[in-house]
Amino acid sequence: MIISLLKRKITPPTDTIRELRLDGYTNRIGTALGVHDDIYLRLLRINDSNNSVIIGSLELLGVNKVWQDSAKSVSRNVILTATHTHSAPLICNELIISWYGPCNENEMKYLKYVNDTLVNALNMTNNYQTLKINEILLQEVDISNVCRNRNTLNGGKVLAHIIKGIDMNNEIPLLLHLPCHSTVLGASNLYITGDLAGYVTARLEETANSIVVPLIGAAGDVSTRFTRQRQDFDELKRLGDEVINSINKAKSITKIALNSLKYHELDINVPTRKKDIEEMISTMEKSQGSTENIIRPFEINAIKKMINVLPSKITVKLGALILGNNIVLIFMPFEPLYDIQELLIEDIGNKYGKYILLIGYSYDYLGYLSNKNLISYESLLTIVHFNDVYSHLVEFIKNIIGK
């Protein structure tokens, strides 16, 4: 099987940077001051005799559906996903605009700049790094020393993964599956950066002398909240190096022949939780501040703005990419909680002998996906009913794997 890789810079043009707001924190004050490290679009194309699938990873908070639609106009099987860095320009999708207000002229120009870069990269045929891969290795990496459940001190183990291709007996890292928020840096940072996912990916690329495509897993409630000592670039380096050390110690859990490739998508139309979220906010406001340790007033205000633009129903795209019959990559446009990855392993992976890797922040940005009934930041930003999505997802995967 032929795997092709391409990397293109999406750092904004220098003359517009100070006009751009950075995404991720609604309490951030001011526009960008500069660039700490460049941010990138990375593409991985997999070809066999029958199929071609492209994964595109953007070092941004999420995916604007405009980009996904443009990608589809170039190539049918394109999955766009994002690293969820909180230190890159606004992606200007409908939910984000409801929190921050309308995007300005330069922010809209950046939207087009990313779109043009993406389309040009997809149309390129000669500039890709090309590998002939017949086998892949899946490595499991315990990153709990850096990334943990951000809502409890006693969170369980958090596992990242590396997918390597074997080319002429050389093991080459292709995909980084990292279930962790890229939020080492806080709202006070005004410099563009890929944050944790960007740092780790760049280190892997430097060592391998090859492009590595980052995919953010079920990171909805996983971050460095309890492991970071500060929120600055020195701390980012320290924690990033810890992740790299864990990756270097990782052992392979399976080696499979890359002899088949399947990709399927499913669009589902589901009702939103607009009324439920309104009722939760009303309950919190009646509690007279006792829930401020769960969600802060400025976050409540942002969620209220979101509710005002939330339709009664939305379309959700789900995708499944199966590598060699055993590794199943599931893509969704949410920030899924880590428990959902474990549910899929229990309901699909363990029953049918598949390695399930859940990837969020794909195709679009539609908030969180929480399976919890508690009042929390994640549940207030879950705009659809969990069971509506999860039941469709499980049946979708079963149908694809023939169960």
Side-chain angles (χ1 to χ4, degrees), residues 153-169:
L153 283 168
N154 300 313
K157 185 182 289 188
V158 174
L159 297 175
H161 299 84
I162 301 288
I163 295 179
K164 292 182 174 181
I166 301 178
D167 178 32
M168 302 286 290
N169 295 320

Side-chain angles (χ1 to χ4, degrees), residues 1-7 42-49 51-56 124-137 162-168 170-176 210-213 256-261 321-324 327 329:
M1 200 165 292
I2 302 299
I3 290 182
S4 306
L5 297 153
L6 185 70
K7 179 177 173 181
R42 293 172 174 88
L43 297 175
L44 180 146
R45 176 184 282 126
I46 312 173
N47 293 292
D48 67 8
S49 57
N51 299 296
S52 177
V53 180
I54 299 172
I55 301 173
M124 288 180 178
T125 56
N126 298 324
N127 293 351
Y128 280 76
Q129 171 192 344
T130 302
L131 305 168
K132 188 173 183 180
I133 303 295
N134 295 316
E135 290 182 304
I136 54 176
L137 290 173
I162 301 288
I163 295 179
K164 292 182 174 181
I166 301 178
D167 178 32
M168 302 286 290
N170 295 316
E171 296 180 8
I172 301 170
L174 301 171
L175 296 168
L176 165 67
S210 183
I211 297 166
V212 177
V213 176
I256 65 169
L258 190 57
N259 53 13
S260 66
L261 176 69
L321 175 62
I322 305 178
L323 303 174
I327 298 175
L329 307 182

Side-chain angles (χ1 to χ4, degrees), residues 205-277:
E205 289 179 330
E206 182 182 357
T207 301
N209 194 29
S210 183
I211 297 166
V212 177
V213 176
L215 308 173
I216 305 305
D221 54 353
V222 179
S223 77
T224 58
R225 179 175 293 173
F226 294 126
T227 60
R228 64 188 180 232
Q229 299 167 8
R230 303 177 307 280
Q231 288 194 284
D232 58 27
F233 285 100
D234 286 340
E235 183 67 357
L236 170 58
K237 180 180 184 303
R238 185 185 74 82
L239 291 175
D241 288 342
E242 286 288 333
V243 174
I244 290 294
N245 289 339
S246 296
I247 289 172
N248 291 337
K249 297 173 185 175
K251 295 181 180 179
S252 298
I253 57 173
T254 188
K255 178 193 284 190
I256 65 169
L258 190 57
N259 53 13
S260 66
L261 176 69
K262 294 180 184 177
Y263 176 64
H264 296 269
E265 292 179 354
L266 174 69
D267 289 336
I268 56 174
N269 195 242
V270 294
T272 63
R273 296 178 62 242
K274 185 171 184 172
K275 185 177 179 181
D276 292 352
I277 298 170

Side-chain angles (χ1 to χ4, degrees), residues 175-360:
L175 296 168
L176 165 67
H177 175 251
L178 185 69
C180 189
H181 259 75
S182 279
T183 51
V184 176
L185 300 168
S188 63
N189 175 56
L190 293 174
Y191 287 87
I192 291 170
T193 172
D195 206 298
L196 184 65
Y199 180 87
V200 172
T201 302
R203 282 286 313 274
L204 289 172
E205 289 179 330
E206 182 182 357
T207 301
N209 194 29
S210 183
I211 297 166
V212 177
V213 176
L215 308 173
I216 305 305
D221 54 353
V222 179
S223 77
T224 58
R225 179 175 293 173
F226 294 126
T227 60
R228 64 188 180 232
Q229 299 167 8
R230 303 177 307 280
Q231 288 194 284
D232 58 27
F233 285 100
D234 286 340
E235 183 67 357
L236 170 58
K237 180 180 184 303
R238 185 185 74 82
L239 291 175
D241 288 342
E242 286 288 333
V243 174
I244 290 294
N245 289 339
S246 296
I247 289 172
N248 291 337
K249 297 173 185 175
K251 295 181 180 179
S252 298
I253 57 173
T254 188
K255 178 193 284 190
I256 65 169
L258 190 57
N259 53 13
S260 66
L261 176 69
K262 294 180 184 177
Y263 176 64
H264 296 269
E265 292 179 354
L266 174 69
D267 289 336
I268 56 174
N269 195 242
V270 294
T272 63
R273 296 178 62 242
K274 185 171 184 172
K275 185 177 179 181
D276 292 352
I277 298 170
E278 288 174 336
E279 290 176 354
M280 289 171 73
I281 290 175
S282 176
T283 299
M284 293 180 72
E285 290 179 332
K286 288 175 183 176
S287 68
Q288 297 182 340
S290 64
T291 55
E292 283 192 18
N293 62 324
I294 299 173
I295 184 165
R296 295 162 288 190
F298 70 85
E299 292 169 329
I300 288 286
N301 289 335
I303 293 168
K304 284 181 176 179
K305 292 176 184 177
M306 176 192 74
I307 293 171
N308 290 334
V309 301
L310 203 59
S312 59
K313 285 190 171 184
I314 58 170
T315 299
V316 175
K317 183 181 290 295
L318 304 171
L321 175 62
I322 305 178
L323 303 174
N325 295 320
N326 287 81
I327 298 175
V328 183
L329 307 182
I330 305 298
F331 296 87
M332 60 172 53
F334 305 108
E335 303 191 42
L337 301 196
Y338 194 77
D339 279 358
I340 299 172
Q341 161 86 31
E342 296 186 323
L343 275 176
L344 285 170
I345 291 172
E346 181 180 338
D347 292 339
I348 301 289
N350 293 342
K351 282 185 179 179
Y352 305 115
K354 307 294 181 184
Y355 294 95
I356 304 289
L357 301 182
L358 179 59
I359 297 113

Side-chain angles (χ1 to χ4, degrees), residues 80-92:
L80 274 192
T81 190
T83 65
H84 201 55
T85 174
H86 282 42
S87 294
L90 292 181
I91 64 169
C92 295

